[in-house]
Amino acid sequence: MRTEAADAGMSTAEYAVGTLAAVAFAGLLFKVVTSPGVQTALSGLITKALK
């Protein structure tokens, strides 16, 4: 019997926790990118790059 094959993939609970963590990270990233300071910095960067 091979023990390494028993833990080859993630279980449903691990998928649920991983998905929840990814959604939480995406929400945090969205909040950061849509903040006024970051939007101003990105606009300045894009404007400078296009000149």
Side-chain angles (χ1 to χ4, degrees), residues 1-9:
M1 182 175 178
R2 296 175 62 189
T3 56
E4 62 192 45
D7 293 330

Side-chain angles (χ1 to χ4, degrees), residues 5-42:
D7 293 330
M10 291 195 321
S11 69
T12 303
E14 290 169 329
Y15 276 117
V17 171
T19 301
L20 185 63
V23 169
F25 182 71
L28 179 67
L29 188 60
F30 179 76
K31 279 287 212 185
V32 169
V33 171
T34 58
S35 69
V38 174
Q39 282 186 346
T40 303
L42 288 175

